[in-house]
Amino acid sequence: MDTIRRFGVRLITVDRPGLGASSADDGWTLRDWALGIREFAQVQRAEGMAAIGFSMGAPFALACGAARVVTGVSLVSATDELAHPALASALEPEAAVLVKQVATRASSAELLLRDAADADILWEATVGTSHDADQRIFADPAFEQNYRRALTDGFAQGGAGYARETVLALSRWPFDPSTITVPVDLWYADRDTNPLHSPDLGAFLAQRIPTARRFVVPYEGSMLLWTHTDAILRSLLTRIAQQ
């Protein structure tokens, strides 16, 4: 929060459908999410919003950028469009299986994810697939308490919301990244070992977004949003101001 105050930023977090306190909405899409954020901004009179998407939150933030609902986007340790044919040969086996299941049996995959995941399982999966460079962060008792509390809040209504958004993230995206006109920052670390993040640390994604600027931080893992908060915010705010 000290970083947020220092930059004079108002931080808003919005629960996606079925997560936290947000009502479930069967069949919602990335386009629906962008429209929902547009309506939220209008009701709240929140002008000039930007979006940060961490990990699998990336396509949701990018959908808002594609719809020009936000003035800029920063993607941190982000998943790419893993269902894109160009990435098929680069995927980790675990990711390839999930992408194939979603592509061929989306409804079944969503039901499987709904019943197979909860806050504890997701915490163990996150820690278990992270590089040693991240372990010092996960080992911090205060961080673990806050992170696990957030996961518990997210699964308060069960696993349906998580399952739906995972299926959306692992499907073909309903927007063309090449049409995005707002500034987009891509932040990756060269020791990110999460199989559901970009398999090439955002290189393919950066090529597809004309406004993209890509950063690859050496000797770091996937938790850049916590270790490089200042740099991520400074870059995004500077690019927005330069428009």
Side-chain angles (χ1 to χ4, degrees):
M1 293 304 296
D2 289 343
T3 300
I4 299 299
R5 296 189 188 97
R6 186 163 59 253
F7 282 94
V9 171
R10 180 187 179 193
L11 177 63
I12 301 172
T13 59
V14 182
D15 292 339
R16 292 189 283 271
L19 297 178
S22 180
S23 301
D25 182 10
D26 294 339
W28 66 281
T29 67
L30 286 172
R31 285 196 181 97
D32 293 330
W33 173 249
L35 291 173
I37 294 299
R38 185 189 300 278
E39 182 177 353
F40 170 84
Q42 291 170 346
V43 171
Q44 296 294 322
R45 298 181 181 178
E47 298 180 356
M49 289 197 310
I52 295 179
F54 171 70
S55 186
M56 205 168 284
F60 302 94
L62 205 56
C64 292
R68 294 192 61 84
V69 175
V70 295
T71 58
V73 178
S74 186
L75 306 182
V76 185
S77 302
T79 187
D80 200 333
E81 187 178 5
L82 300 185
H84 195 289
L87 292 177
S89 63
L91 299 180
E92 294 289 334
E94 176 185 349
V97 168
L98 282 173
V99 168
K100 183 177 180 180
Q101 288 177 336
V102 169
T104 58
R105 298 182 299 276
S107 297
S108 298
E110 190 167 338
L111 288 173
L112 180 64
L113 287 164
R114 183 196 67 184
D115 296 334
D118 60 25
D120 291 334
I121 290 173
L122 197 56
W123 165 260
E124 296 298 335
T126 301
V127 175
T129 58
S130 294
H131 191 274
D132 289 346
D134 290 319
Q135 297 308 316
R136 69 183 187 280
I137 300 172
F138 291 126
D140 184 317
F143 179 88
E144 178 178 354
Q145 181 181 26
N146 289 327
Y147 199 95
R148 297 189 74 154
R149 182 187 298 121
L151 291 174
T152 299
D153 288 345
F155 280 91
Q157 301 183 62
Y162 165 78
R164 181 60 186 166
E165 69 168 27
T166 302
V167 165
L168 292 178
L170 297 181
S171 301
R172 291 301 303 270
W173 295 347
F175 56 86
D176 182 355
S178 69
T179 65
I180 294 175
T181 58
V182 300
V184 178
D185 281 351
L186 306 176
W187 287 85
Y188 289 93
D190 67 353
R191 298 185 181 183
D192 186 345
T193 54
N194 189 304
L196 295 182
H197 292 172
S198 170
D200 63 359
L201 302 181
F204 176 62
L205 186 56
Q207 292 171 8
R208 301 173 67 200
I209 302 173
T211 59
R213 186 167 61 178
R214 175 172 169 257
F215 304 89
V216 179
V217 181
Y219 311 117
E220 289 281 356
S222 63
M223 305 305 283
L224 289 178
L225 189 57
W226 287 267
T227 62
H228 285 66
T229 312
D230 279 32
I232 291 167
L233 274 177
R234 184 181 298 109
S235 177
L236 181 58
L237 293 173
T238 299
R239 295 195 68 192
I240 291 171
Q242 293 172 344
Q243 291 189 93

